[in-house]
Amino acid sequence: MLAEFKIVNDPLRPSISTNLCSVCYRNSENETKSIGCCSYEPEFCLFDLVFLHLHYPDIYELILKRGQIIKGFNGIMIEMKAGLNQCPFISNLGCVLPKDATPPVCRLYICPEAAIFGPSVLEKKFDDYFVSKEYALNNYLNSELIYDKGFNSTSLHNFIVKYSQTTKTMIAGIDTTNPQVDTFNTDINIEDFGILRSESSVS
């Protein structure tokens, strides 16, 4: 099959996608979690939430209503958990969210078993998040947030509303129109998908 990779070099919300997710070898192995990486619950950081509040208010409201506030790898976050065993935004056709509405991991992570067939820049693109504008903005928002014992979804919403216009002003000068898009295609044997995991289990 033709393995396809697409890198959208948006200066604020970059993303990577591949058609290998639709044929993930994990899908046939676990009937209760048969959607690879999307068997995990997404975690939206503060900057994700501000961005959604500004650009996708309906999605923001749903996440705030159904999610659980946690302290995660990216500071204060909302995890879409609530007893789910898969991402609530997954469908038979893939993610139902616009790409720029998804968290950094969903936008930038390609598993090693798929990435082996793509360009070497894939791993760097994920690492670049930690020196990106959106990461810096997320750190700024976390530095402004007072998280105490009484903190709840109403507190979080009030914070997001308060800092949305400030953040909007901060990102106003970042041109996100028509970002450069890089594509990479290569023919692979579908039987080789998952080869890294197979080799590691033998050694």
Side-chain angles (χ1 to χ4, degrees):
M1 70 169 287
L2 186 67
E4 302 171 346
F5 296 85
K6 180 180 178 181
I7 303 172
V8 179
N9 296 286
D10 188 300
L12 188 62
R13 305 285 283 178
S15 64
I16 304 171
S17 56
T18 176
N19 65 333
L20 291 179
C21 294
S22 64
V23 291
C24 180
Y25 67 91
R26 297 177 182 86
N27 291 355
S28 60
E29 294 189 344
N30 189 332
E31 294 180 1
T32 61
K33 289 192 173 185
S34 58
I35 42 180
C37 294
C38 296
S39 62
Y40 298 96
E41 302 88 353
E43 297 176 347
F44 295 85
C45 64
L46 291 181
F47 180 68
D48 293 327
L49 296 171
V50 169
F51 184 85
L52 292 172
H53 183 263
L54 291 170
H55 300 281
Y56 302 100
D58 292 345
I59 297 172
Y60 165 78
E61 289 177 11
L62 177 64
I63 291 170
L64 194 68
K65 180 180 179 180
R66 294 183 57 184
Q68 173 183 347
I69 299 173
I70 63 169
K71 280 189 173 182
F73 77 97
N74 222 352
I76 299 303
M77 309 174 76
I78 287 189
E79 182 182 61
M80 294 298 289
K81 194 175 180 68
L84 301 173
N85 69 347
Q86 66 183 51
C87 175
F89 301 113
I90 192 67
S91 74
N92 291 336
L93 299 177
C95 184
V96 301
L97 295 180
K99 197 67 174 179
D100 64 347
T102 60
V105 171
C106 299
R107 283 184 284 115
L108 296 169
Y109 176 75
I110 300 293
C111 74
E113 293 87 346
I116 192 173
F117 302 110
S120 58
V121 73
L122 292 182
E123 184 176 350
K124 182 180 184 300
K125 288 292 182 181
F126 181 74
D127 292 340
D128 282 349
Y129 167 73
F130 297 100
V131 293
S132 68
K133 293 180 176 71
E134 64 172 319
Y135 183 69
L137 284 164
N138 188 63
N139 284 344
Y140 161 73
L141 291 168
N142 272 283
S143 72
E144 295 293 312
L145 180 68
I146 299 175
Y147 183 74
D148 55 26
K149 188 176 291 187
F151 193 83
N152 56 29
S153 59
T154 300
S155 308
L156 179 58
H157 174 66
N158 291 339
F159 175 84
I160 296 299
V161 171
K162 178 180 178 181
Y163 280 87
S164 285
Q165 289 307 310
T166 301
T167 306
K168 185 177 181 179
T169 301
M170 294 173 74
I171 64 178
I174 302 174
D175 185 5
T176 60
T177 57
N178 301 316
Q180 177 184 334
V181 177
D182 299 323
T183 58
F184 178 87
N185 302 325
T186 185
D187 281 309
I188 70 168
N189 294 320
I190 190 60
E191 294 80 8
D192 291 337
F193 190 15
I195 191 170
L196 288 183
R197 186 208 52 157
S198 300
E199 289 180 345
S200 64
S201 64
V202 171
S203 58

